[in-house]
Amino acid sequence: MPEGHTVHRTANHFKKNFAGQIVSVSSPQGRFSDSKLIDGSKLIEAKAVGKQLFLQFEPAILRIHLGIYGKWQFTRPEELPEPKGAVRARFVANGQLADLRGPTACELLSKEQYLQVLNRLGPDPLDPKADMRHFVEKVAKSGVSIGQLLMDQSVISGIGNVYRAELLFRANLNPHTPGKLVPREVVEALWLDAVALMPLGVKTGFMLTREGFMKAKTKKDERYYVYKREGLACRECGNLISIELMATRKLYFCSSCQA
Ligand SMILES: [Zn+2]
């Protein structure tokens, strides 16, 4: 599943190539029949909050969540190609084409519904206006593990499995620690670390989390401290990296550095 930085990149693509334009919107697959309500209207704004993308058309706001299987395909074709596969939504403007396949959500919202969705989402470290306190206070009140809280989009928006694992390692924090037992300054430092790291993800398209390896050309097997490194030696202490399931998602950590 894409993490927040990918969705912010998609929002930037829409801002650059579609915003301010009259956009032709269709649903070749037919499952997004409301497409006709925004077809031929102007895209006013594109915005990402965590893993959610909001495309504000004049008549309504389109909410898209890719989920596990959703994918975008952006092209600039000479001629409009026939849709391949199950294209839920197709956007065409100014020679640009965006095809959306397999999203979990692709639905129109009124302004009021949009605000309700926003209210349910935790602050997004990629939003310069986000308020860290909402995150810090939710963590401080919760008996749920910090490993699960980081993945809870109502607590913090945009963190997925990779950033979760890497942020916790960088904080030397055991993923099983209940939120309320994590010192406040450590929770604040986690937030600030996400604020520092995630814009690099937006800029490069890669989740760069390892000191000294913050370049986009860093090879995949050198990029992370713990993510997908189960059974390999920890880069800091040599202990073997652990893997387990936490709330159905794979969790990677060093039981020595993150004791
Ligand atoms: Zn270690």
Side-chain angles (χ1 to χ4, degrees):
M1 190 185 302
E3 304 200 17
H5 69 293
T6 308
V7 186
H8 279 263
R9 284 170 69 85
T10 303
N12 289 344
H13 183 90
F14 270 95
K15 269 185 229 174
K16 187 173 164 213
N17 297 296
F18 290 85
Q21 316 271 345
I22 300 295
V23 184
S24 143
V25 188
S26 59
S27 179
Q29 170 209 40
R31 276 185 62 188
F32 175 43
S33 55
D34 279 352
S35 61
K36 57 186 178 293
L37 301 176
I38 49 172
D39 182 27
S41 67
K42 192 195 275 181
L43 178 66
I44 298 165
E45 170 73 304
K47 177 185 164 92
V49 182
K51 299 175 182 179
Q52 316 254 349
L53 175 70
F54 299 99
L55 299 177
Q56 189 190 342
F57 288 92
E58 273 178 327
I61 297 159
L62 178 57
R63 177 178 86 91
I64 292 164
H65 191 302
L66 291 180
I68 295 175
Y69 303 109
K71 275 205 169 45
W72 283 105
Q73 186 181 23
F74 299 111
T75 47
R76 203 186 161 87
E78 298 271 306
E79 264 175 58
L80 208 54
E82 282 296 311
K84 272 198 198 115
V87 177
R88 180 80 57 88
R90 168 170 270 196
F91 305 82
V92 185
N94 199 26
Q96 299 279 345
L97 169 65
D99 276 344
L100 172 66
R101 295 179 178 84
T104 296
C106 176
E107 60 172 10
L108 291 181
L109 305 177
S110 66
K111 187 80 197 272
E112 200 171 41
Q113 291 168 319
Y114 167 65
L115 294 175
Q116 282 168 359
V117 172
L118 285 191
N119 268 333
R120 288 199 297 269
L121 293 172
D124 181 343
L126 283 168
D127 174 2
K129 291 189 203 135
D131 190 343
M132 167 175 81
R133 285 173 299 178
H134 293 310
F135 168 63
V136 174
E137 265 139 44
K138 275 184 179 159
V139 172
K141 278 187 203 143
S142 176
V144 173
S145 68
I146 188 68
Q148 281 186 68
L149 289 170
L150 283 181
M151 298 282 273
D152 181 341
Q153 302 299 303
S154 71
V155 175
I156 184 169
S157 282
I159 306 280
N161 223 4
V162 181
Y163 279 124
R164 183 243 316 247
E166 296 289 298
L167 287 168
L168 288 171
F169 179 86
R170 288 167 60 91
N172 291 328
L173 187 56
N174 188 289
H176 300 99
T177 316
K180 60 184 168 194
L181 296 185
V182 182
R184 193 178 181 94
E185 62 271 19
V186 175
V187 181
E188 289 178 358
L190 266 180
W191 170 270
L192 293 174
D193 203 25
V195 168
L197 291 179
M198 293 178 76
L200 265 174
V202 178
K203 194 174 156 198
T204 64
F206 299 99
M207 290 179 272
L208 303 169
T209 61
R210 194 176 160 208
E211 295 304 327
F213 295 83
M214 294 285 188
K215 297 227 165 74
K217 63 181 180 193
T218 300
K219 286 188 221 135
K220 216 171 178 181
D221 60 354
E222 293 191 326
R223 210 176 286 153
Y224 306 124
Y225 287 108
V226 291
Y227 179 71
K228 285 205 171 161
R229 295 198 67 245
E230 72 273 21
L232 298 175
C234 171
R235 302 189 193 277
E236 299 290 318
C237 76
N239 182 46
L240 299 186
I241 301 297
S242 306
I243 182 170
E244 64 181 66
L245 283 181
M246 179 180 263
T248 77
R249 300 295 305 276
K250 284 176 184 163
L251 171 72
Y252 306 86
F253 66 106
C254 173
S255 58
S256 168
C257 292
Q258 298 170 261

